[in-house]
Amino acid sequence: MDKYGLIGYPLGHSFSISYFNQKFHDEDIDAVYENYEIPTIDALPEVLSSNPELKGLNVTIPYKEKVIPFLDNISPEARAIGAVNVIRVTHEGRNVKLKGYNSDVIGFTQSIEPMLDSKWHKKALILGTGGASKAIDYGLRNLGLETVFVSRYERPETIQYQSITPDVVKEYNVIVNCTPVGMYPKTEECPLLPYKAMDKHTILYDLIYNPDETLFMKRGEEYGAQTKNGLEMLLLQAFASWEFWHEK
């Protein structure tokens, strides 16, 4: 039986494990998907050696960047982003070969593109500076938008939340939340933004999918903003993972 799985720490309820095991059941695929909660990325070789049936892995926080030195090969897209969230595992005799990919950018761009109107949407704010935000930046720039990262802290090439005025929101009217602010159980929180400056041309995209509608989305909707959560992106990422694992 083939194995697939997820590495990260900590791992609570995982979308991937329920999605893939349901897929294997529904499509009569002789495979299983398991979570591998490893406290350090240095435990990856042990996961591989003790699970010789592994054909592919997903990678989540905090290892999307830390896993790169363990890989034999990396796709150009993942290299440009600097983060990997899909690994294809192949066996050549006794050697195990690992190739890294990034499905975040595929899932995100396919999900947000139908919402964009080139007449109105030219600039975007990316809330957060972690591994996911790099993929979002790559995807938005590929779609032709200018981007600026927003951080709580003073960092090179970022702006801070207190610098986001109503005029900034009018100009940068695509806003993507790549932070955990507003995620269950802290659903009463949202990024500090001038929501009153938003209108029907504002797009608020939240990578969070639990809850379905975050306070970030609700506050934007009060002023007419278009909103979307991260569930469709997750589904599209899962499709992309399967394609990467079975790439010819």
Side-chain angles (χ1 to χ4, degrees):
M1 179 187 290
D2 289 343
K3 273 190 184 179
Y4 302 87
L6 174 68
I7 58 169
Y9 189 85
L11 293 178
H13 171 74
S14 149
F15 170 86
S16 298
I17 193 168
S18 48
Y19 170 82
F20 280 109
N21 283 322
Q22 188 66 48
K23 173 185 174 72
F24 298 154
H25 177 268
D26 292 347
E27 298 179 24
D28 204 22
I29 297 169
D30 188 24
V32 66
Y33 192 103
E34 296 178 346
N35 281 350
Y36 301 101
E37 189 174 72
I38 53 176
T40 165
I41 193 61
D42 294 328
L44 177 59
E46 187 182 335
V47 169
L48 294 165
S49 62
S50 55
N51 295 279
E53 312 90 348
L54 264 176
K55 295 290 189 290
L57 289 166
N58 290 120
V59 184
T60 190
I61 295 168
Y63 301 136
K64 290 185 180 185
E65 293 153 303
K66 293 176 183 174
V67 77
I68 290 174
F70 291 83
L71 305 176
D72 300 288
N73 203 347
I74 183 169
S75 73
E77 203 165 55
R79 188 176 299 284
I81 294 162
V84 162
N85 72 331
V86 181
I87 299 172
R88 183 183 183 196
V89 183
T90 54
H91 299 265
E92 299 174 7
R94 292 187 177 182
N95 296 324
V96 178
K97 296 290 184 185
L98 306 179
K99 182 171 182 180
Y101 304 85
N102 192 298
S103 66
D104 282 339
V105 66
I106 296 169
F108 173 70
T109 52
Q110 289 180 355
S111 178
I112 198 172
E113 191 169 17
M115 302 176 75
L116 298 172
D117 181 337
S118 58
K119 180 181 175 184
W120 295 104
H121 303 123
K122 301 177 188 303
K123 298 183 180 182
L125 296 176
I126 300 170
L127 311 183
T129 56
S133 66
K134 293 175 182 175
I136 300 312
D137 177 54
Y138 185 91
L140 286 169
R141 285 189 288 109
N142 269 7
L143 291 170
L145 280 76
E146 289 181 38
T147 58
V148 171
F149 288 102
V150 182
S151 174
R152 288 176 295 167
Y153 311 106
E154 292 278 347
R155 288 183 174 164
E157 298 178 21
T158 66
I159 63 170
Q160 282 62 58
Y161 285 91
Q162 60 267 29
S163 302
I164 302 175
T165 63
D167 285 344
V168 171
V169 165
K170 294 286 187 193
E171 186 179 357
Y172 290 81
N173 57 3
V174 178
I175 305 176
V176 184
N177 180 33
C178 303
T179 78
V181 175
M183 189 177 354
Y184 179 84
K186 297 183 178 179
T187 56
E188 73 292 344
E189 297 179 359
C190 67
L192 297 172
L193 299 169
Y195 291 91
K196 289 180 180 177
M198 296 176 184
D199 59 28
K200 65 181 181 181
H201 299 305
T202 310
I203 292 174
L204 298 187
Y205 191 110
D206 204 328
L207 267 57
I208 292 169
Y209 60 94
N210 183 13
D212 291 340
E213 188 176 50
T214 58
L215 187 56
F216 168 70
M217 294 164 65
K218 284 178 186 170
R219 294 202 59 190
E221 284 169 2
E222 287 175 25
Y223 300 99
Q226 303 175 62
T227 64
K228 194 165 200 173
N229 70 14
L231 187 59
E232 184 185 44
M233 175 177 165
L234 272 178
L235 284 166
L236 292 165
Q237 283 175 283
F239 301 157
S241 294
W242 188 251
E243 294 298 315
F244 288 142
W245 292 333
H246 297 89
E247 193 177 61
K248 297 299 182 197

